Amino acid sequence: MKISYSAAVNSKIDIAIYPYFENKITKKHVDAKLFKGKSGEILLVPTKKILLLGLGKKDKLESADVRGLFAKAVKALMNGKYNKVGLYWDKPLNNFDTEVLEGLLLPNHHVAKYKTGKDLKKANDKLIKELVIIGSGLPKGFKKHADDINKIVESVHYVRDIVTGPPNTVSVDFVANEAKKAARSGGFSVKVYDKVWLKKNKMGAILGVNAGSGNKGAKLLIMEYKPKGAAAKKAPIMLVGKGLIFDTGGYNLKPTKYIEDMQQDMAGGATVLGVFRVLKQLGVKRRVVGVVPLTENLIDAYAMKPSDILTAYNGKTIEVRNTDAEGRLILADALAYGVKTFKPEFTIDLATLTGACVVALGDRYAGVMGNDKKLIEELIDAGKVTDELLWELPLHKDFSEAMKGIIGDLRNADNGTSYMAGSSKAGAFLQYFVDKSKWAHLDIAGTAYVQKPKVHESQYGTGYGVRLLAEFLRKI
Ligand code: BES
Ligand code: ZN
Ligand code: ZN
């Protein structure tokens, strides 16, 4: 959305939002009885071209509420009647400038991208085209900050579209091309390695998952953001994302009700790409490397079977006990390759990795685990700022033990008891591929894709994690 500025309300603004704390209405818009400013109260007066938004009691207002309240106001205006929406900026909002802007910008998205004709036009017409900030009390540096938020939100929408998009469009090649396109304008480089390269580099785990895909290849994306300056000389930060285009489960086929939305299984990879798109705009000072393995998990005569043994990039052999535990396989090669090649200061991986995480934490928290307390705490803190909450799950040595194989080094699922502490065991498996290097794993299976969106989200892909990582990286 375009953001512009105006000192006062003008006739070109289709409607102006006036936010008020409870009983602190400073302008006389309507009869005092009609609007008190209670939290979540909305009074739309089209004839006066105003929307009054209640923020409740000032001392009760929390960061996450602000985002929700402004999102609610914008949603009330997304009906095709309003192109240019104004926001009357009152000084007390200055503490919450990020949340106000995110609240206004995040909902302005629709998922009806594959509709045609009138229906598509209708969905597009409902979007708000321009936000006008009205007022003179803006905090210092506001405009640059607003541009940054706008770019981040645009990337959240971009990730939503990739995650929601159908797998016959959002294919391995599609995502690879998106990365190339993004790199051209985003100030980072991308290398796309194909199956021949994967074979030469002995990435047997990615190739094992890809084996059932016929001539639909696997790819490994390596992105690199290299800013100028002293901080960029330090060891890089590595982001790794699961890019599983569609997860049928393989021979351990997913049943109906579990298979339908498995195009979401590349959300980790899409999020890494989404984060790379904002690094330059945010002026991130550190070098950042992104690694995204891309493949589908399909079935044909060559598909991997339970009881196959794969050899990963680091030479470890893996018993395939369950072909549906494929995410940890493709991440195994990606992590081992990334750690060895780039020697990062630390690694963060994101993956829609386990159904167990959805059961444990729902769509409110993503799971976080890892081998470095400080890194985990910093990620949890960043998540509190953006309201993309993280909850730490334990990595116990018994879980690592459970992932050891009997005839091979490791196994991708433990027989019979894989439903117990499923997310932790997946994490414990990944740990074998980062060795001692600092690492945190985000299981976003419950948060990346939702049926019931929060007010600032869209149904399906949420873009969860883009704002969190942007917040984390801009402070580093
Ligand atoms: N992609 C799934 C996990 C998932 C489930 C993501 C629901 C999003 C929503 C993953 O590949 C998977 O199938 N994991 C298995 C592991 C098990 C076989 C050890 C699971 O969680 O059931
Ligand atoms: Zn699976
Ligand atoms: Zn999967």
Side-chain angles (χ1 to χ4, degrees):
M1 199 189 318
K2 186 180 164 196
I3 301 180
S4 61
Y5 297 87
S6 175
V9 200
N10 65 59
S11 60
K12 290 201 184 111
I13 296 170
D14 296 322
I15 194 128
I17 300 172
Y18 287 82
Y20 286 112
F21 290 102
E22 195 168 331
N23 297 325
K24 298 268 188 287
I25 308 358
T26 50
K27 286 188 171 34
K28 176 132 185 54
H29 303 279
V30 289
D31 192 301
K33 284 201 294 287
L34 293 173
F35 179 81
K36 302 270 184 239
K38 284 197 185 333
S39 179
E41 198 182 340
I42 283 182
L43 183 69
L44 178 60
V45 193
T47 48
K48 296 194 172 184
K49 301 219 279 186
I50 56 168
L51 182 150
L52 305 182
L53 169 66
L55 304 177
K57 299 223 160 61
K58 196 174 164 191
D59 52 339
K60 289 236 172 83
L61 195 65
E62 284 179 23
S63 157
D65 304 332
V66 181
R67 199 177 287 105
L69 290 166
F70 283 84
K72 193 175 168 192
V74 153
K75 282 231 153 140
L77 300 176
M78 288 177 65
N79 53 16
K81 291 187 195 142
Y82 308 103
N83 283 324
K84 208 168 176 172
V85 171
L87 170 73
Y88 181 77
W89 193 277
D90 207 5
K91 280 200 185 69
L93 294 177
N94 288 0
N95 295 336
F96 291 117
D97 51 354
T98 304
E99 292 86 342
V100 170
L101 287 165
E102 284 186 352
L104 292 170
L105 299 172
L106 280 167
N108 198 39
H109 171 261
H110 76 77
V111 296
K113 300 271 148 75
Y114 297 83
K115 289 189 189 291
T116 60
K118 267 199 218 122
D119 290 341
L120 177 62
K121 186 174 179 307
K122 210 164 134 193
N124 284 329
D125 286 348
K126 284 184 183 174
L127 297 175
I128 287 155
K129 310 298 179 294
E130 185 172 339
L131 173 67
V132 188
I133 310 281
I134 308 160
S136 48
L138 299 174
K140 226 177 126 236
F142 183 92
K143 288 185 184 176
K144 160 73 175 131
H145 186 58
D147 286 346
D148 289 353
I149 304 287
N150 205 12
K151 178 81 189 169
I152 292 170
V153 170
E154 188 264 321
S155 218
V156 171
H157 294 165
Y158 173 87
V159 173
R160 288 182 189 174
D161 288 342
I162 293 190
V163 173
T164 301
N168 58 343
T169 295
V170 182
S171 61
V172 168
D173 289 341
F174 180 95
V175 178
N177 282 332
E178 281 300 314
K180 283 188 200 161
K181 266 200 261 170
R184 261 178 272 167
S185 53
F188 65 92
S189 69
V190 61
K191 287 197 187 108
V192 180
Y193 293 117
D194 63 7
K195 215 164 151 172
V196 177
W197 186 92
L198 293 169
K199 276 186 193 146
K200 208 156 71 195
N201 284 275
K202 300 201 162 60
M203 300 210 178
I206 298 177
L207 290 166
V209 174
N210 180 251
S213 292
N215 60 10
K216 295 159 97 179
K219 289 202 154 69
L220 187 72
L221 305 183
I222 305 285
M223 296 175 260
E224 226 181 323
Y225 166 79
K226 263 193 213 167
K228 295 199 172 75
K233 305 243 158 21
K234 291 197 216 168
I237 294 158
M238 183 160 81
L239 305 178
V240 179
K242 174 177 174 182
L244 208 294
I245 295 298
F246 191 85
D247 184 9
T248 66
Y251 276 106
N252 293 97
L253 187 62
K254 286 187 184 292
T256 299
K257 287 202 190 122
Y258 292 87
I259 198 170
E260 289 80 0
D261 294 312
M262 274 303 141
Q263 88 277 24
Q264 67 175 280
D265 219 13
M266 27 63 68
T271 308
V272 170
L273 179 51
V275 173
F276 265 79
R277 291 171 85 254
V278 304
L279 295 174
K280 188 173 87 175
Q281 169 80 29
L282 299 183
V284 171
K285 293 186 187 66
R286 295 288 300 269
R287 202 173 129 212
V288 187
V289 178
V291 184
V292 178
L294 292 167
T295 177
E296 296 198 72
N297 185 21
L298 304 179
I299 309 170
D300 69 9
Y302 299 92
M304 67 174 176
K305 303 168 290 298
S307 81
D308 276 355
I309 291 193
L310 308 174
T311 305
Y313 176 80
N314 65 355
K316 288 197 169 103
T317 53
I318 307 166
E319 301 172 2
V320 178
R321 300 308 309 170
N322 191 315
T323 61
D324 199 9
E326 84 300 332
R328 62 197 74 181
L329 294 174
I330 67 172
L331 289 173
D333 278 345
L335 288 167
Y337 175 79
V339 166
K340 185 164 177 224
T341 310
F342 301 107
K343 300 183 179 53
E345 186 194 330
F346 55 79
T347 300
I348 302 164
D349 81 71
L350 298 104
T352 47
L353 206 60
T354 64
C357 191
V358 190
V359 174
L361 305 174
D363 62 11
R364 204 58 187 90
Y365 292 85
V368 59
M369 52 210 102
N371 58 12
D372 189 71
K373 268 270 157 259
K374 185 167 164 271
L375 176 59
I376 291 174
E377 270 161 26
E378 283 171 6
L379 287 166
I380 291 174
D381 288 345
K384 283 183 187 155
V385 173
T386 64
D387 195 33
E388 298 169 291
L389 301 177
L390 290 171
W391 195 265
E392 188 176 358
L393 299 172
L395 289 178
H396 192 278
K397 64 178 173 13
D398 288 1
F399 301 146
S400 305
E401 205 53 42
M403 301 317 289
K404 284 190 176 155
I406 295 168
I407 66 170
D409 297 328
L410 299 170
R411 54 184 178 187
N412 76 334
D414 55 329
N415 294 351
T417 50
S418 69
Y419 68 94
M420 294 167 71
S423 309
S424 290
K425 283 180 192 160
F429 178 87
L430 296 180
Q431 193 167 13
Y432 284 107
F433 299 88
V434 294
D435 282 328
K436 300 256 164 336
S437 75
K438 289 182 190 172
W439 152 82
H441 156 60
L442 271 51
D443 192 331
I444 58 171
T447 53
Y449 188 93
V450 300
Q451 298 297 339
K452 283 200 183 132
K454 296 174 192 47
V455 57
H456 61 276
E457 289 173 346
S458 303
Q459 194 178 3
Y460 303 145
T462 59
Y464 175 98
V466 174
R467 292 185 297 115
L468 188 161
L469 287 176
E471 169 68 22
F472 173 84
L473 289 169
R474 74 201 296 183
K475 290 215 172 120
I476 233 159

